[in-house]
Coordinates of all heavy atoms in Angstrom, one line a residue:
R112 N -8.0 24.3 18.4 CA -8.6 22.9 18.7 C -9.1 22.4 17.3 O -9.8 23.1 16.7 CB -9.7 23.0 19.7 CG -10.3 21.7 20.1 CD -11.4 21.8 21.1 NE -10.8 22.4 22.4 CZ -10.2 21.7 23.4 NH1 -10.1 20.4 23.2 NH2 -9.8 22.2 24.5
F113 N -8.6 21.2 16.9 CA -8.8 20.7 15.6 C -9.6 19.4 15.7 O -9.3 18.5 16.4 CB -7.5 20.4 14.8 CG -6.7 21.6 14.6 CD1 -5.8 22.1 15.5 CD2 -6.8 22.3 13.3 CE1 -5.0 23.2 15.3 CE2 -6.0 23.4 13.1 CZ -5.1 23.9 14.0
T114 N -10.7 19.3 14.8 CA -11.5 18.1 14.7 C -11.6 17.8 13.2 O -11.9 18.6 12.4 CB -13.0 18.4 15.2 OG1 -12.9 18.8 16.6 CG2 -13.8 17.1 15.1
L115 N -11.1 16.5 12.9 CA -11.2 16.1 11.5 C -12.6 15.9 11.0 O -13.3 15.2 11.6 CB -10.3 14.8 11.3 CG -10.1 14.3 10.0 CD1 -9.3 15.4 9.1 CD2 -9.3 13.0 10.0
V116 N -12.8 16.5 9.9 CA -14.2 16.4 9.2 C -14.2 15.4 8.1 O -15.1 14.7 7.9 CB -14.6 17.8 8.8 CG1 -16.0 17.6 8.0 CG2 -14.9 18.7 10.0
D117 N -13.1 15.5 7.3 CA -13.0 14.7 6.1 C -11.6 14.5 5.6 O -10.7 15.3 5.9 CB -13.8 15.3 4.9 CG -14.0 14.4 3.7 OD1 -14.0 13.2 3.9 OD2 -14.3 14.9 2.6
A118 N -11.3 13.4 5.0 CA -10.0 13.0 4.4 C -10.2 12.2 3.2 O -10.8 11.2 3.2 CB -9.1 12.3 5.4
K119 N -9.7 12.8 2.1 CA -9.9 12.0 0.7 C -8.8 12.3 -0.2 O -8.1 13.4 -0.1 CB -11.2 12.3 0.2 CG -11.5 13.8 -0.2 CD -12.8 14.0 -0.6 CE -13.1 15.5 -0.8 NZ -14.5 15.9 -0.9
A120 N -8.6 11.5 -1.2 CA -7.6 11.7 -2.2 C -8.0 12.8 -3.0 O -9.2 13.0 -3.3 CB -7.3 10.4 -3.1
R121 N -7.1 13.8 -3.4 CA -7.4 14.8 -4.3 C -6.9 14.4 -5.7 O -7.5 14.7 -6.7 CB -6.6 16.1 -3.9 CG -7.0 17.2 -4.8 CD -6.3 18.6 -4.2 NE -6.3 19.6 -5.3 CZ -5.3 19.7 -6.1 NH1 -4.2 19.0 -6.0 NH2 -5.4 20.7 -7.0
D122 N -5.7 13.8 -5.7 CA -5.2 13.2 -7.0 C -4.2 12.1 -6.6 O -4.2 11.7 -5.4 CB -4.5 14.3 -7.8 CG -3.4 15.1 -7.1 OD1 -2.7 14.4 -6.2 OD2 -3.3 16.3 -7.4
A123 N -3.4 11.7 -7.5 CA -2.5 10.5 -7.3 C -1.4 10.7 -6.2 O -0.8 9.8 -5.7 CB -1.8 10.1 -8.6
T124 N -1.2 12.1 -5.9 CA -0.1 12.3 -4.9 C -0.5 13.2 -3.7 O 0.4 13.6 -2.9 CB 1.1 13.0 -5.6 OG1 0.7 14.3 -6.1 CG2 1.7 12.1 -6.7
S125 N -1.8 13.4 -3.5 CA -2.2 14.3 -2.5 C -3.5 13.9 -1.8 O -4.4 13.3 -2.5 CB -2.2 15.8 -2.9 OG -3.2 16.0 -3.9
M126 N -3.6 14.3 -0.5 CA -4.9 14.1 0.3 C -5.4 15.4 0.8 O -4.6 16.3 1.2 CB -4.5 13.2 1.4 CG -5.7 13.1 2.4 SD -5.4 11.9 3.9 CE -3.9 12.6 4.6
L127 N -6.6 15.6 0.6 CA -7.3 16.8 1.1 C -7.9 16.5 2.4 O -8.8 15.6 2.5 CB -8.4 17.3 0.1 CG -9.0 18.6 0.4 CD1 -8.0 19.8 0.5 CD2 -10.2 19.0 -0.6
R128 N -7.5 17.2 3.5 CA -8.0 17.0 4.8 C -8.8 18.3 5.2 O -8.4 19.4 5.0 CB -6.9 16.7 5.8 CG -6.3 15.4 5.7 CD -5.1 15.2 6.6 NE -5.5 15.5 8.0 CZ -5.3 14.7 9.0 NH1 -4.8 13.5 8.8 NH2 -5.6 15.0 10.3
T129 N -10.0 18.1 5.7 CA -10.8 19.1 6.2 C -11.0 19.0 7.7 O -11.3 17.9 8.2 CB -12.3 19.1 5.5 OG1 -12.1 19.1 4.2 CG2 -13.1 20.3 6.0
N130 N -10.6 20.1 8.4 CA -10.7 20.2 9.8 C -11.5 21.3 10.3 O -11.4 22.4 9.6 CB -9.3 20.3 10.5 CG -8.5 19.1 10.6 OD1 -8.7 18.2 11.4 ND2 -7.5 19.0 9.7
T131 N -12.3 21.1 11.3 CA -12.9 22.2 12.0 C -11.9 22.8 12.9 O -11.3 22.0 13.8 CB -14.2 21.8 12.7 OG1 -15.2 21.4 11.8 CG2 -14.8 23.0 13.5
L132 N -11.6 24.1 12.8 CA -10.7 24.7 13.7 C -11.5 25.7 14.6 O -12.2 26.5 14.1 CB -9.7 25.6 12.9 CG -8.9 26.6 13.7 CD1 -8.0 26.0 14.8 CD2 -8.1 27.5 12.8
T133 N -11.3 25.5 15.9 CA -11.9 26.4 16.9 C -10.8 27.1 17.6 O -9.9 26.4 18.2 CB -12.8 25.6 17.9 OG1 -13.8 24.8 17.1 CG2 -13.5 26.5 18.9
I134 N -10.8 28.4 17.5 CA -9.8 29.2 18.3 C -10.5 29.7 19.5 O -11.3 30.5 19.5 CB -9.2 30.3 17.4 CG1 -8.4 29.7 16.2 CG2 -8.2 31.2 18.3 CD1 -7.7 30.7 15.4
E135 N -9.9 29.1 20.6 CA -10.5 29.5 21.9 C -9.8 30.6 22.6 O -8.6 30.7 22.4 CB -10.4 28.2 22.9 CG -11.0 26.9 22.3 CD -10.8 25.7 23.2 OE1 -9.7 25.6 23.7 OE2 -11.7 24.9 23.2
I136 N -10.6 31.3 23.4 CA -10.0 32.4 24.3 C -10.1 31.9 25.7 O -11.1 31.5 26.2 CB -10.9 33.7 24.1 CG1 -11.0 34.1 22.7 CG2 -10.3 34.8 25.0 CD1 -12.1 35.2 22.5
E137 N -8.9 31.8 26.3 CA -8.8 31.3 27.7 C -9.8 32.1 28.6 O -9.9 33.3 28.6 CB -7.4 31.5 28.2 CG -7.2 30.9 29.6 CD -5.8 30.9 30.0 OE1 -5.2 32.0 29.9 OE2 -5.2 30.0 30.5

Side-chain angles (χ1 to χ4, degrees):
R112 185 176 295 275
F113 296 87
T114 301
L115 186 62
V116 174
D117 195 20
K119 60 186 172 194
R121 181 175 165 269
D122 56 33
T124 60
S125 63
M126 171 177 57
L127 184 63
R128 288 174 54 121
T129 305
N130 280 286
T131 297
L132 165 63
T133 303
I134 297 184
E135 301 174 329
I136 306 167
E137 188 175 44

